[in-house]
Amino acid sequence: MHRPPHTWSDVPLARPSSARGREVPVEIGQEGRTYARTGDSGWHMTVCWYAGPGHSVRVPGDPVPERAAADRAIVEEEANSYLADAGIPPRPPGFTWYLEIPPGRTLAGLWQLIDRHERELPGAAPHPRETATAIARAVAVFYA
């Protein structure tokens, strides 16, 4: 499978003005575009990887600010393990990740599109590399 020619550090940093205190916004606006917060699992990070720096941003800070350091370490380890299995480099810790939602589309629509592509995979429990292929195809359609 072809990997996008970018790194995690290529994903732009955003500093939403709507963030107050320890709250992490669900949506942010950046340069006239709308971005929705995504989960921090390896699966969600696979979606961010294939959306790439043109359709995602990162905000410094944990999406669950009150999460204990030990819990953050477990989340990072599990996400990066999944990414490694999918053939994607580990993500840097300490960010909340957001995906661009083009006008007339929704984050739920992206998840539905990915689900349709994943259902085309053989077997009940596809390997993360297979899932990454389905995600890559769905993301390409969503942002086309």
Side-chain angles (χ1 to χ4, degrees):
M1 173 176 52
H2 173 71
R3 236 183 354 189
H6 70 306
T7 67
W8 289 109
S9 61
D10 294 330
V11 175
L13 284 171
R15 297 198 185 276
S17 59
S18 61
R20 290 187 182 89
R22 298 179 61 82
E23 294 177 20
V24 177
V26 174
E27 281 192 355
I28 60 174
Q30 193 76 19
E31 298 180 7
R33 298 159 97 180
T34 300
Y35 295 85
R37 188 177 74 208
T38 189
D40 55 359
S41 71
W43 184 90
H44 288 99
M45 291 297 94
T46 300
V47 177
C48 285
W49 178 255
Y50 285 103
H55 300 292
S56 57
V57 296
R58 57 195 169 120
V59 174
D62 192 309
V64 185
E66 69 275 5
R67 186 168 21 201
D71 293 337
R72 280 194 301 274
I74 291 169
V75 169
E76 289 299 322
E77 181 180 327
E78 289 179 3
N80 285 331
S81 175
Y82 185 93
L83 291 170
D85 288 345
I88 298 170
R91 69 175 182 179
F95 295 97
T96 301
W97 300 84
Y98 291 81
L99 291 166
E100 177 190 9
I101 306 303
R105 297 188 183 226
T106 64
L107 189 59
L110 174 58
W111 300 153
Q112 290 168 353
L113 186 58
I114 293 170
D115 181 59
R116 281 198 299 272
H117 281 80
E118 287 180 333
R119 279 188 269 132
E120 295 171 0
L121 296 172
H127 188 275
R129 281 188 192 267
E130 295 170 313
T131 300
T133 300
I135 289 171
R137 289 181 184 143
V139 166
V141 169
F142 187 75
Y143 291 114

